[in-house]
Amino acid sequence: MRKVTIFGSTGSIGENTVDLIARAPESYDVVALTGGRNVARLAEQAISLNAELAVTAFDNCYDDLKTALSGTGIEVAAGEAAVAEAADRKADWFMSAIVGAAGLVPGLRALRHGTILALANKESLVTAGPYLMAEARKYGATILPVDSEHSAVFQALVGEDMKAVERIIITASGGAFRDWPLKALETATLAEASAHPNWDMGQRITIDSASMFNKAMELIETKEFFGIDADKIEAVVHPESLIHALVGFNDGALMAHLGPPDMRHAIGYALHWPDRGHVPVARLDLAQIGSLNFRLADEVRYPALRIARDVMQTGGLSGAAFNASKEAALDAFIAGKIGFQDMARLVDKVLNRLQQRNGLSCDILTLDKVLATDHLARETTQDMMQDATVR
C-alpha cells in the first residue's frame, strides 16, 4: 500500500484527492490529513480513510476535532507547527494543497523524505521557487505539478528535450469579467467578482481568476518549475477551459493538452505517475464542443500579468513580496476596504516601494529571507492602504 499524506484535505484540491483515494482504499495507507476550521469535514475524512493523524491549523479548533474523533484511535493535533510536523511522518506521496504561503513550510519538510510532493500550492514556487527546487534535488525528491496548467505542460514534455522548447502557453478562463467593458471594472462588487462563469470554486480563487492574479502566479510558477525564460511564457484567454496549456517547439509544432475542467485529472496523473491510471472524469465529445476560442490576455484589463512579468525580471525575493501583498490586497477587497481594480494598483505600489527601500534582488534564497519578506510585504500593504496611496 502506498503511504500518503494530504495537506489541505478539506479544500477543493484536497477534497478531490480524497475522492480519488477513497475509490481505491486497498491501495493507500493514509498517514495524515490536515485542514482548517472545517473540523467536522476533516474528522469525517479521517474516519473514512482510516488516517493515522488529523491536524487542524487552528489551535482553538483542537477541542472540536478531538471530540469528533473521540474513540476512533486517530491522533489529533492543532496549530501551524503541528501541520509542519505532520510532514515529518514518512510517506511515499504528499499532496500540498494548503492555500497561501502557509503551504510552503510543510511542503519543504515533506521533501526531506526524498519521495513525491504533488504540488498544488502555487505560493511555494512563487515565493521560493529556486529554493524549493534546490531542496528537491538535495534530497532526491520528485515534485509533480498539480495545477492543471502545469500538469498539462509536464505531460506535453514527456520524452521531449527542453532545449527544443520555444514557448509555453498557459490558458485562462478570463474569469467573471472577461466580457465586461473595461471601465465597468472600477465599480465591480465582491459578489460579482465571486461568480465564475464556468464553475464553482472557493471565493478567493474565484476572485483571483477574475483579476487574473491566479494566472499571474502561474506565469511565475512556469518559469520556476520548468526553468524557462520569462519571455518564452505566454498566457491566452480560452473561455471553454478545455485546453489547459500548449508547448511550442523549434519545428513550429504546438503540443496541446485537452481535458475537462476537472482537477481530478491533474491530481490523478500525479497520484498514478509514472503510470496512467483510470480517473473518473468526463470524456470530451469534440463534435459536441464544436469550436475552441482564444483571445488576447490584455495586460491593461489584467494588470496582474504585467506585474508578474516585472517579478520574473527582478527575481530574488520579489515573488515572496508579490504573493504576500496580493494576499493582503485580496483580504482588503473582501473586507470592502478597497475596490476591485485597487488590488493590482496596491500590489504594484508595494513592490515598487520595497524595491526602492529594501531591494528585492537576491542571489541566494533562504527560508528565513522568504518569510521575512512575506511579513514585510504584508505590513507595507497595510501601511499603504492607511496612507490612501492606492489610486
Side-chain angles (χ1 to χ4, degrees):
M1 296 179 73
R2 197 177 198 186
K3 298 174 75 69
V4 303
T5 283
I6 306 172
F7 298 110
S9 67
T10 57
S12 175
I13 299 295
E15 286 281 14
N16 280 303
T17 307
V18 168
D19 174 73
L20 292 178
I21 290 174
R23 292 171 184 268
E26 71 285 353
S27 299
Y28 303 101
D29 178 10
V30 178
V31 178
L33 301 176
T34 80
R37 297 190 184 280
N38 190 356
V39 294
R41 179 56 183 152
L42 179 59
E44 184 180 3
Q45 291 175 335
I47 293 169
S48 67
L49 297 180
N50 194 30
E52 297 174 16
L53 170 69
V55 184
T56 169
F58 298 95
D59 291 303
N60 59 4
C61 293
Y62 175 82
D63 289 341
D64 289 340
L65 183 60
K66 185 73 172 177
T67 299
L69 292 174
S70 177
T72 64
I74 297 171
E75 295 179 58
V76 175
E80 291 184 5
V83 173
E85 287 165 5
D88 295 336
R89 299 195 179 206
K90 177 72 174 177
D92 306 305
W93 190 89
F94 294 84
M95 166 57 77
S96 175
I98 296 173
V99 176
L104 175 59
V105 172
L108 284 169
R109 288 173 72 158
L111 291 175
R112 297 175 184 175
H113 297 289
T115 53
I116 293 174
L117 177 66
L119 187 64
N121 175 260
K122 299 177 186 295
E123 293 78 9
S124 293
L125 281 169
V126 172
T127 62
Y131 180 63
L132 185 82
M133 301 304 286
E135 288 293 284
R137 291 190 295 270
K138 176 181 176 180
Y139 292 105
T142 298
I143 300 178
L144 298 176
V146 176
D147 263 355
S148 58
E149 296 80 4
H150 303 97
S151 176
V153 174
F154 187 85
Q155 294 180 55
L157 287 172
V158 171
E160 302 288 352
D161 186 345
M162 278 299 297
K163 294 178 182 178
V165 175
E166 284 188 343
R167 59 205 285 227
I168 291 178
I169 305 169
I170 59 174
T171 62
S173 69
F177 303 135
R178 66 190 179 204
D179 298 318
W180 279 40
L182 188 58
K183 290 183 178 179
L185 297 182
E186 290 290 352
T187 57
T189 67
L190 175 62
E192 290 166 336
S194 302
H196 198 282
N198 289 11
W199 52 76
D200 291 328
M201 302 184 292
Q203 183 186 51
R204 297 179 71 85
I205 186 60
T206 302
I207 298 170
D208 277 349
S209 176
S211 66
M212 282 277 224
F213 265 112
N214 70 325
K215 209 55 51 178
M217 301 271 282
E218 288 167 11
L219 291 175
I220 301 169
E221 283 184 89
T222 302
K223 175 181 180 292
E224 299 299 346
F225 189 88
F226 296 103
I228 189 170
D229 293 340
D231 60 4
K232 294 182 178 180
I233 306 169
E234 307 169 31
V236 297
V237 174
H238 170 48
E240 292 84 4
S241 299
L242 297 176
I243 293 181
H244 304 298
L246 305 96
V247 177
F249 296 93
N250 58 7
D251 60 357
L254 277 173
M255 190 83 72
H257 177 283
L258 287 84
D262 187 327
M263 284 306 302
R264 291 180 299 176
H265 189 144
I267 297 166
Y269 184 82
L271 190 61
H272 296 110
W273 182 88
D275 300 320
R276 285 189 181 271
H278 174 78
V279 179
V281 299
R283 271 46 179 173
L284 296 183
D285 183 334
L286 297 181
Q288 184 178 23
I289 292 167
S291 63
L292 299 172
N293 296 279
F294 305 91
R295 66 180 77 161
L296 178 70
D298 182 6
E299 293 186 7
V300 175
R301 175 179 289 273
Y302 303 114
L305 298 178
R306 191 263 307 160
I307 299 172
R309 295 202 176 277
D310 292 343
V311 168
M312 289 189 286
Q313 180 69 30
T314 304
L317 294 164
S318 59
F322 171 77
N323 176 71
S325 184
K326 188 275 292 187
E327 289 187 10
L330 177 56
D331 289 339
F333 173 63
I334 292 173
K337 296 178 180 178
I338 61 174
F340 178 77
Q341 293 287 72
D342 291 331
M343 288 189 288
R345 295 188 185 104
L346 182 56
V347 172
D348 199 21
K349 287 180 178 291
V350 168
L351 289 175
N352 287 333
R353 176 176 289 187
L354 291 178
Q355 177 69 351
Q356 292 168 5
R357 294 185 177 181
N358 304 88
L360 294 171
S361 299
C362 176
D363 292 334
I364 300 176
L365 288 185
T366 66
L367 182 57
D368 287 344
K369 288 179 181 179
V370 169
L371 296 179
T373 300
D374 178 279
H375 180 72
L376 177 60
R378 292 176 195 274
E379 283 191 336
T380 305
T381 306
Q382 294 297 329
D383 290 344
M384 294 192 76
M385 279 194 290
Q386 297 299 324
D387 293 343
T389 55
V390 177
R391 292 181 183 276

